[in-house]
Amino acid sequence: MGHYIEVDQNVNVYVEDVGEGTPILFLHGWPVSHKMFEYQQIELPKHGYRFLGMDLRGYGKSDAPWNGYDYDTMAADVDKVVRELDLQDVVLVGFSMGGPIAIRYLANFKENRVQKLVLLGAAAPLFTQRDEYPHGLEQSGVDDIIANLKSDRPGMLKDFGGMFFHQDMPDAFSDWFLNLGLTASPHATIHSAVALRDEDGRVDLASVHVPTLILHGKHDEICPFEFTSFMEEGIPEATVVPFENSGHGLVFEEKEKVNHEILQFLKR
């Protein structure tokens, strides 16, 4: 089952909806779609959970307006989805860019319906380096990504995919993963890269008042594992689980462990 939810005037986002039970709402990373969570989609409903995969605006099957790729707007889109589908006691899962968007949602919408939070390789609290935050890419590095997106988006995304994984991935898988990124709107891909470069979510962490599971690859070259120390310190009820054999793509590289950790967290 799929839903199209109007989140703004003439802007609809797509939500995949599979199974019944406690709703688990997944927010994907840059620049893919809900399809990156297929190994969770085929597993969670077997255990009595409802999988919901939201395509953020500009990605997958969702509309791609020119504006609205900042975290505040994306968080407001999440709120529209939760309320339109009347989701209760939601478990919110954010991967990479979806992580800080999930956190911003909890910060901006105090009357949310979230009972637990899962952060997967999250680009939080900051994706790029700042004073007193020496981790992640330099802001100029994201400028280079944006320039390459404007000149050769397929080549840039192929190179990005090469950084994504610690393990060697099969060619067929790499082709599939590249295609996920190529289905995104080109302007959404660029504008979201600007958000990743410029957004600062450090003040948002203290607004997370639900149990939080942080799963992160030890070999992550996109969102370094050092990010987890800031998330763990800033989120009151946070637990970090390192993935020793993964880079940024832990949901693929150690998918069985990801699913096991999420299911154990759901049962607590």
Side-chain angles (χ1 to χ4, degrees):
M1 184 191 308
H3 310 277
Y4 282 96
I5 307 297
E6 187 172 33
V7 294
D8 214 337
Q9 187 172 5
N10 298 319
V11 178
N12 294 283
V13 300
Y14 177 78
V15 182
E16 187 83 355
D17 188 349
V18 181
E20 297 179 352
T22 300
I24 319 295
L25 177 59
F26 285 79
L27 307 180
H28 63 80
W30 178 93
V32 289
S33 71
H34 83 274
K35 290 182 180 295
M36 70 161 289
F37 297 116
E38 73 168 65
Y39 298 107
Q40 288 68 55
Q41 179 178 325
I42 62 176
E43 185 68 20
L44 291 176
K46 294 193 303 188
H47 299 271
Y49 297 101
R50 180 182 176 188
F51 171 93
L52 295 137
M54 175 181 173
D55 283 345
L56 299 170
R57 61 168 65 201
Y59 299 91
K61 297 181 181 180
S62 293
D63 290 340
W66 180 251
N67 294 316
Y69 300 98
D70 58 282
Y71 291 174
D72 284 342
T73 303
M74 294 282 208
D77 290 352
V78 173
D79 187 64
K80 294 277 180 57
V81 166
V82 170
R83 295 186 182 283
E84 185 67 25
L85 295 179
D86 194 25
L87 303 179
Q88 305 289 337
D89 296 325
V90 181
V91 178
L92 191 58
V93 183
F95 171 80
S96 196
M97 181 180 73
I101 291 170
I103 294 169
R104 181 66 57 84
Y105 168 58
L106 294 176
N108 286 2
F109 295 89
K110 305 298 185 186
E111 299 300 317
N112 63 75
R113 304 174 184 182
V114 175
Q115 59 159 318
K116 291 180 178 178
L117 175 66
V118 180
L119 299 171
L120 303 169
L126 281 167
F127 183 64
T128 52
Q129 297 177 18
R130 300 287 202 285
D131 292 339
E132 301 178 1
Y133 192 87
H135 308 295
L137 297 179
E138 294 184 6
Q139 290 176 290
S140 61
V142 182
D143 291 336
D144 291 340
I145 289 173
I146 292 168
N148 290 332
L149 286 169
K150 292 177 178 179
S151 63
D152 180 7
R153 188 166 66 104
M156 186 274 135
L157 293 179
K158 185 175 181 180
D159 290 344
F160 181 76
M163 295 175 59
F164 211 86
F165 303 103
H166 173 63
Q167 300 180 26
D168 291 330
M169 307 302 284
D171 289 344
F173 176 89
S174 298
D175 291 343
W176 171 79
F177 188 71
L178 173 60
N179 188 60
L180 287 187
L182 289 173
T183 60
S185 156
H187 62 267
T189 304
I190 292 167
H191 294 167
S192 292
V194 172
L196 281 163
R197 181 193 66 194
D198 295 346
E199 295 269 9
D200 186 341
R202 283 177 286 189
V203 298
D204 297 335
L205 296 178
S207 297
V208 180
H209 298 299
V210 294
T212 301
L213 178 66
I214 299 169
L215 309 181
H216 213 105
K218 290 294 292 289
H219 304 281
D220 197 327
E221 296 181 27
I222 309 292
C223 297
F225 187 77
E226 287 80 6
F227 284 11
T228 63
S229 62
F230 290 86
M231 288 185 270
E232 185 176 29
E233 182 179 351
I235 297 173
E237 294 182 72
T239 301
V240 176
V241 178
F243 280 61
E244 301 291 342
N245 299 310
S246 292
H248 196 49
L250 71 165
V251 296
F252 306 110
E253 296 179 277
E254 295 184 80
K255 53 183 174 289
E256 293 86 0
K257 182 177 178 181
V258 167
N259 289 342
H260 173 77
E261 293 292 345
I262 290 175
L263 285 167
Q264 291 300 114
F265 182 61
L266 294 174
K267 294 171 184 175
R268 288 177 205 158

